[in-house]
Amino acid sequence: MLTITPTNAALGAEILGVDLSRDLADTTFNEIVAAFHEYEVVYFRNQTLRPEQHIAFSRRFGELEKHVRVDCCRPGYPELFVVSNVIENGKAIGSRDAGLFWHSDLCYMKEPSRGSLFYAREVPMKDGEPLGDTLFASATAAYEALPSSMKTKIAKLKAVNSYSKGYYRDRNSGARAPLTEDQKRRTPDIEHPIVRTHPFTGKKCLFVNEGYTSRIAALDGEEGESLLTELLAHATDERFIYRHRWQVGDFLIWDNCSTQHLAIPDYALPQRRLMERTTVRGSAPF
Ligand code: OGA
Ligand code: MN
């Protein structure tokens, strides 16, 4: 039996009593999946995992993605996307600027990711307190809180999600190489419903984000722009947010349909941050 302790926020729960390095029974795994669907973000503390174990546990959720930023993956493990500010031999070992705007992972793909599994290896500290928190916003809570007139207005609308919008606007955007032709080919602009139905829970989610949603389809000019601005502000209102303070050994799973997330870059070398992420393949939004 798992012990599940919800946070005080609109989403998120800690799961206790699980060692993810073990080969978990199906019943245990199914309880974890049920909690993941219910709480949208779940985390386990004090895990010690080798890359193979991280990948093996992640695979139980489905096939894993290999990120288009190949240079950010852990050598020998194309499924492990590294998020880190660490420099080795003059070279960044991972993405130094992931998640600096609200987004969900791979929302710019035809089939956005189902969920991401994030493992904290090194957490920056100052005066005994962790830095580099991550914020999560519940897209189901955001949708539910919309006035019914707005729900009606956006029920059938789609929005354009664009990888290049996010790619080029980061803190270190000057440091990122221009997208290669192959990366561009893999990430054409894509339309998704603004109100997305969760494929497992059937709940409605507000599926727009500041990072990658570039415009409302079929609503040009001022009207579309102001509607998108309004929805983006609403989606990340503090009522819908859980803020995760990392500890070394945390293993956290977020749902890329029912949540979006934001990294807080309030640290710098020599404070080191080293996280590794697997990304589970998802299905086309409807
Ligand atoms: C990511 C991401 C946020 C963080 O890896 O997808 O957005 O806090 N990371 O590192
Ligand atoms: Mn992300």
Side-chain angles (χ1 to χ4, degrees), residues 117-137:
L117 298 92
F118 207 58
Y119 182 44
R121 290 194 176 278
E122 295 186 54
V123 176
M125 301 289 290
K126 190 181 174 204
D127 304 329
E129 298 293 329
L131 298 171
D133 293 356
T134 307
L135 271 51
F136 296 91

Side-chain angles (χ1 to χ4, degrees), residues 36-104:
F36 170 55
H37 288 153
E38 179 170 357
Y39 295 104
E40 306 174 348
V41 165
V42 292
Y43 62 92
F44 309 78
R45 300 257 195 221
N46 302 313
Q47 302 295 317
T48 307
L49 294 177
R50 285 183 283 107
E52 289 79 5
Q53 293 166 323
H54 183 165
I55 291 167
F57 177 69
S58 305
R59 280 236 173 92
R60 297 184 71 166
F61 286 84
E63 240 183 289
L64 303 183
E65 298 280 354
K66 295 174 182 165
H67 203 276
V68 291
R69 294 180 68 194
V70 178
D71 55 317
C72 292
C73 295
R74 181 161 164 160
Y77 300 95
E79 306 91 342
L80 275 189
F81 183 70
V82 178
V83 177
S84 183
N85 65 344
V86 173
I87 311 278
E88 268 168 20
N89 304 321
K91 208 175 151 289
I93 64 165
S95 172
R96 286 193 290 163
D97 51 11
L100 297 180
F101 40 76
W102 283 103
H103 69 287
S104 62

Side-chain angles (χ1 to χ4, degrees), residues 101-115:
F101 40 76
W102 283 103
H103 69 287
S104 62
D105 297 335
L106 274 48
C107 64
Y108 45 79
M109 303 293 266
K110 208 165 136 205
E111 298 181 338
S113 161
R114 174 181 175 193

Side-chain angles (χ1 to χ4, degrees), residues 137-139 142 206 208-209 230-237 240-241 260:
S138 170
L206 183 59
V208 288
N209 65 75
E230 186 181 347
L231 292 174
L232 292 177
H234 174 84
T236 57
D237 188 277
F240 316 131
I241 290 179
Q260 51 179 292

Side-chain angles (χ1 to χ4, degrees), residues 46-272:
N46 302 313
Q47 302 295 317
T48 307
L49 294 177
R50 285 183 283 107
E52 289 79 5
Q53 293 166 323
H54 183 165
I55 291 167
F57 177 69
S58 305
R59 280 236 173 92
R60 297 184 71 166
F61 286 84
E63 240 183 289
L64 303 183
E65 298 280 354
K66 295 174 182 165
H67 203 276
V68 291
R69 294 180 68 194
V70 178
D71 55 317
C72 292
C73 295
R74 181 161 164 160
Y77 300 95
E79 306 91 342
L80 275 189
F81 183 70
V82 178
V83 177
S84 183
N85 65 344
V86 173
I87 311 278
E88 268 168 20
N89 304 321
K91 208 175 151 289
I93 64 165
S95 172
R96 286 193 290 163
D97 51 11
L100 297 180
F101 40 76
W102 283 103
H103 69 287
S104 62
D105 297 335
L106 274 48
C107 64
Y108 45 79
M109 303 293 266
K110 208 165 136 205
E111 298 181 338
S113 161
R114 174 181 175 193
S116 300
L117 298 92
F118 207 58
Y119 182 44
R121 290 194 176 278
E122 295 186 54
V123 176
M125 301 289 290
K126 190 181 174 204
D127 304 329
E129 298 293 329
L131 298 171
D133 293 356
T134 307
L135 271 51
F136 296 91
S138 170
T140 54
Y143 175 78
E144 278 162 27
L146 286 171
S148 55
S149 57
M150 181 60 97
K151 286 180 179 162
T152 307
K153 182 171 180 179
I154 63 177
K156 295 274 179 295
L157 290 179
K158 293 189 169 203
V160 177
N161 290 270
S162 161
Y163 183 59
S164 57
K165 176 185 179 192
Y167 185 87
Y168 285 112
R169 51 174 278 179
D170 273 304
R171 172 176 58 159
N172 295 333
S173 56
R176 286 192 182 191
L179 287 171
T180 63
E181 289 309 313
D182 182 55
Q183 285 171 325
K184 279 191 225 164
R185 196 179 45 71
R186 287 183 63 183
T187 57
D189 284 3
I190 187 95
E191 286 183 13
H192 290 314
I194 292 178
V195 181
R196 186 177 170 190
T197 305
H198 194 284
F200 294 92
T201 67
K203 287 189 187 170
K204 289 185 173 171
C205 307
L206 183 59
F207 197 65
V208 288
N209 65 75
E210 184 203 346
Y212 295 108
T213 309
S214 52
R215 61 188 176 81
I216 311 262
L219 257 192
D220 289 332
E222 178 69 26
E223 193 189 352
E225 262 176 51
S226 65
L227 176 58
L228 182 57
T229 305
E230 186 181 347
L231 292 174
L232 292 177
H234 174 84
T236 57
D237 188 277
E238 61 182 51
R239 284 173 291 163
F240 316 131
I241 290 179
Y242 164 64
R243 181 175 186 131
H244 190 76
R245 302 182 73 198
W246 296 98
Q247 294 177 13
V248 171
D250 280 359
F251 191 91
L252 184 147
I253 316 174
W254 65 74
D255 188 311
N256 282 310
C257 178
S258 59
T259 74
Q260 51 179 292
H261 56 279
L262 171 72
I264 306 295
D266 58 356
Y267 58 92
L269 290 173
Q271 297 159 327
R272 288 164 58 106

